[in-house]
Amino acid sequence: MPAMNELIFGSIAEITAGYHQKKFSPVEVVKAYVERLTRLQPKLNAFVHVDAKRALQQAEVATASVMRGEQLGLLHGVPLTVKSCIDVAGWPTPAGSLLRKDYVVQVDAPLVARLRGAGAILLGNTNTPEYLMAYETDNSLSGKTSNPWNLERSSGGSSGGEAAAIATGCSVGGVGSDGGGSVRVPAHFCGICGLKPTPGRIPASGHYPEGGGAFAWLGVVGPMARTVADVRTLFEVMAGPDGGDALSAPVPVRAVSEEDVKKLHIGILESDALGKATPETTAAVERAATLLREQGFTVETKRLTGLDRAIELWWYFFGPVVANLIRQGAVGHEEEMSPMLREFVALAMAEANLTYDYFLNACAERDKIRAEILRQMDEVTILLSPVSSGPAFRHGEGNWRIGAKENYRDTMKYSQWLNLAGFPGAVVPVGASPEGLPIGVQVIGRPYEEETILAVGEAIERGRGPWKAPNV
């Protein structure tokens, strides 16, 4: 039997290679992950639902395939998890809400079907804030998820359960979703990698809340894992058009050579609209730039204008518009909403301007801003920036209140503008705070250029050295 760390912290490539070489079996790997998550769940509270029995049954089938020497899929026997707002047949998908506690579907979301088709074994789904509307994973249905680097800190939101599970070896990787940083912030807080793709590259069909119209610009689903290579593998499996996603784009996954990537001009993002990051956060971005320069990349500063209005418009759609929909859907059940969600709705509705003319003009202005940012990135096509202004905050300190120390509209601007513009962004852990909390760096690119972003992220990772696990 191999060492436990070889099983629970192995990459997708290492695990599948171990199967081919008969070093260990899917049954052994899945058992190791189930034992690990069972032990850590009381500490972290990362999971909403665990399907250990079915996972072990699937592992037995996967092991038999290995023993017969059959051709194996990219994810054959790889234990994964899924955020609990994404449909998995037979599982509850509550999205953190008492209002959805009994919601169980019988059909997998397209991205889930693609993971299964590649041989993945799903262990369970993970915790979120209610309706995904906070950067702290806490709700009245399943409680809060803690950061594996410091249990007094938040794992982030809204994919906080997913990030905590992956960082601690309770999952090889999985799927989150991102409407304002909800893949990237938890990845940054927990010290793993994540990708917010361009809307439509991975189908968001089967995700709650549903996307459509102006809202589909904001929200995407994306892979999370401990290494960029694993993020890429998950992206390649899930990417592709689907008729259920209105923004679905038939953009094929393409290979990017190291030679072509090194020809790129990379910018360190500067903008007066984004606020001030902690010294350690700024140092992590500078370190990423240095690691790239040492490998032959050209890196310079790049100032973008227009991000202030992009962030304001993002808040209009994510705040007042979405809050109004939540309020309408919860009529008569307001007391069942978690305190965080009630506060969000109250604050957002206090700023609501929901006239038809204002909404229409906001939609048109969004397109103009997106075009202007694209023009500014004509030559410098990749940007490096913080994910947020600092590392993971303490439980309960983050909120939407203007003037508060950890107000999301101040601290999360670095992530939010990408959702308004529909740009992709990946996170790579690079630095650490004085308290030992991880600090990720955001690699930003133009729409449909995820492959290039991931190639740059992998170069940063290569220069940084091996990934380190939290001691939890």
Side-chain angles (χ1 to χ4, degrees):
M1 180 74 173
M4 178 64 76
N5 276 7
E6 186 179 355
L7 296 183
I8 63 173
F9 288 116
S11 68
I12 292 172
E14 289 167 343
I15 289 172
T16 54
Y19 295 158
H20 282 289
Q21 297 162 13
K22 307 294 195 297
K23 291 173 61 178
F24 44 79
S25 71
V27 167
E28 290 173 313
V29 171
V30 170
K31 279 185 176 179
Y33 273 89
V34 169
E35 289 171 3
R36 177 82 170 172
L37 71 86
T38 300
R39 182 172 69 82
L40 292 182
Q41 175 66 1
K43 281 187 177 182
L44 299 173
N45 192 37
F47 287 83
V48 171
H49 178 77
V50 176
D51 196 350
K53 181 179 179 180
R54 187 179 178 191
L56 288 167
Q57 289 172 343
Q58 292 175 344
E60 291 174 357
V61 174
T63 297
S65 296
V66 171
M67 299 306 294
R68 288 193 296 267
E70 296 177 0
Q71 185 174 351
L72 308 181
L74 278 176
L75 301 175
H76 187 89
V78 176
L80 301 178
T81 43
V82 177
K83 188 175 180 180
S84 63
C85 58
I86 298 169
D87 289 349
V88 178
W91 291 4
T93 54
S97 180
L98 287 168
L99 301 176
R100 283 175 56 91
K101 63 183 177 64
D102 298 321
Y103 181 79
V104 178
V105 296
Q106 299 305 319
V107 179
D108 286 336
L111 71 87
V112 172
R114 291 173 185 180
L115 293 174
R116 290 196 198 275
I121 295 174
L122 301 186
L123 298 172
N125 59 18
T126 52
N127 203 20
T128 74
E130 186 170 11
Y131 290 166
L132 324 182
M133 305 308 292
Y135 297 93
E136 162 109 60
T137 293
D138 191 6
N139 59 69
S140 297
L141 176 63
S142 46
K144 69 174 180 284
T145 300
S146 294
N147 190 305
W149 295 87
N150 183 329
L151 298 179
E152 295 180 357
R153 303 267 176 165
S154 169
S155 63
S158 59
S159 307
E162 197 65 24
I166 294 166
T168 53
C170 297
S171 170
V172 176
V175 190
S177 59
D178 191 314
S182 286
V183 161
R184 291 161 289 152
V185 170
H188 156 59
F189 277 13
C190 293
I192 65 168
C193 303
L195 171 68
K196 173 218 170 293
T198 310
R201 281 219 77 179
I202 299 174
S205 325
H207 178 277
Y208 185 88
E210 297 176 5
F215 318 117
W217 299 333
L218 303 185
V220 297
V221 290
M224 304 173 73
R226 292 184 288 267
T227 68
V228 177
D230 284 358
V231 168
R232 179 189 292 107
T233 299
L234 294 172
F235 169 73
E236 290 174 354
V237 169
M238 294 188 291
D242 174 73
D245 186 336
L247 293 184
S248 184
V251 179
V253 175
R254 52 197 182 275
V256 178
S257 71
E258 185 175 343
E259 180 183 359
D260 287 340
V261 172
K262 285 190 175 179
K263 293 177 183 177
L264 300 173
H265 284 236
I266 297 173
I268 300 174
L269 175 59
E270 292 185 348
S271 169
D272 296 333
L274 300 178
K276 185 175 177 60
T278 65
E280 297 78 23
T281 301
T282 301
V285 176
E286 292 291 347
R287 184 188 176 203
T290 298
L291 294 173
L292 291 172
R293 290 190 185 105
E294 290 173 350
Q295 296 175 64
F297 288 84
T298 299
V299 186
E300 59 199 54
T301 59
K302 175 62 179 179
R303 177 167 289 273
L304 290 186
T305 61
L307 299 190
D308 50 351
R309 186 55 181 155
I311 292 165
E312 290 173 3
L313 278 178
W314 171 84
W315 170 248
Y316 172 70
F317 291 117
F318 187 89
V321 173
V322 172
N324 184 55
L325 294 174
I326 292 172
R327 181 178 61 85
Q328 291 177 0
V331 171
H333 298 275
E334 291 84 357
E335 292 305 311
E336 296 178 56
M337 294 165 61
S338 65
M340 284 199 308
L341 186 61
R342 286 202 299 269
E343 179 180 70
F344 165 78
V345 170
L347 288 169
M349 290 305 298
E351 302 181 27
N353 187 343
L354 300 175
T355 65
Y356 173 77
D357 286 346
Y358 192 95
F359 180 84
L360 195 62
N361 289 335
C363 291
E365 189 178 359
R366 178 262 179 189
D367 287 345
K368 291 179 181 178
I369 289 173
R370 184 175 188 266
E372 178 55 32
I373 296 171
L374 277 170
R375 280 192 289 270
Q376 294 178 70
M377 290 178 65
D378 184 47
E379 294 182 1
V380 179
T381 57
I382 296 289
L383 301 174
L384 306 179
S385 94
V387 182
S388 71
S389 62
F393 51 78
R394 294 185 181 276
H395 284 302
E397 287 188 351
N399 55 65
W400 292 103
R401 293 189 293 274
I402 298 296
K405 178 184 176 184
E406 293 288 347
N407 174 252
Y408 302 143
R409 292 176 66 185
D410 292 329
T411 60
M412 304 299 176
K413 292 177 179 179
Y414 295 95
S415 290
Q416 293 163 350
W417 71 267
L418 275 73
N419 294 84
L420 188 282
F423 281 33
V427 174
V428 184
V430 174
S433 74
E435 307 92 343
L437 298 167
I439 295 175
V441 170
Q442 189 171 207
V443 184
I444 301 164
R446 300 178 301 189
Y448 305 108
E449 295 183 358
E450 285 81 0
E451 296 87 348
T452 304
I453 291 171
L454 293 174
V456 173
E458 199 157 22
I460 295 171
E461 189 178 64
R462 185 166 56 245
R464 180 206 66 199
W467 181 84
K468 295 181 180 178
N471 184 22
V472 64

